[in-house]
């Protein structure tokens, strides 16, 4: 699996911007890799271009994968309401719809922030990252 590699937060952030920061995309995968040395995040992209939703959202996934390597910190805040805790069967795909992704520098090298509206978030501090776009789909301008 190829993709662009990053060790500088500003460059990773530029790449995330090219993918519209995955705004309103769905987090469909989060997995530890290489015995916990890494974390893989998969997002089903929602935008065909800025302001235009993909017409095939219900029938086909377009996955953007971010691989974090040399992970020093993995933090997730659920931000679940009391209603969600009381009625988990009522939770749907909307819980996985992220607001945006951004990257910032940190002591480990770079920090990836996956942010939702409210308190829900994932923060990963790592040495490096790679971004792999969906096959046959160019990044957005």
């Amino acid at each position: 699996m190829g993709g662009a590699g990053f060790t500088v937060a500003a460059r990773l952030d530029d790449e995330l911007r090219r993918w519209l920061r995955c705004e309103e995309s769905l987090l469909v995968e989060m997995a530890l890799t290489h015995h916990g040395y890494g974390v893989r995040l998969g997002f089903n992209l929602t935008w065909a271009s800025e302001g235009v939703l993909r017409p095939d959202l219900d029938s086909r996934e377009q996955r953007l994968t971010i691989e974090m390597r040399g992970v020093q910190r993995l933090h997730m805040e659920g931000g679940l309401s009391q209603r969600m805790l009381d009625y988990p069967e009522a939770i749907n795909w909307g819980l996985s719809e992220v607001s945006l992704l951004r990257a910032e520098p940190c002591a480990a090298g770079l920090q990836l922030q996956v942010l939702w509206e409210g308190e829900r978030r994932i923060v990963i501090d790592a040495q490096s990252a790679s971004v792999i776009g969906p096959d046959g789909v160019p990044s957005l301008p």
Side-chain angles (χ1 to χ4, degrees), residues 27-49:
L27 176 64
V28 294
E29 178 187 19
M30 184 170 102
L32 296 177
T33 61
H34 197 204
H35 308 289
Y37 176 79
V39 173
R40 179 178 54 246
L41 301 172
F43 299 89
N44 185 13
L45 300 173
T46 54
W47 298 106
S49 62

Side-chain angles (χ1 to χ4, degrees), residues 8-22:
V8 176
R11 291 197 178 126
L12 175 58
D13 201 58
D14 287 344
E15 180 69 9
L16 296 174
R17 196 169 314 143
R18 289 178 61 209
W19 294 100
L20 302 177
R21 297 190 177 279
C22 290

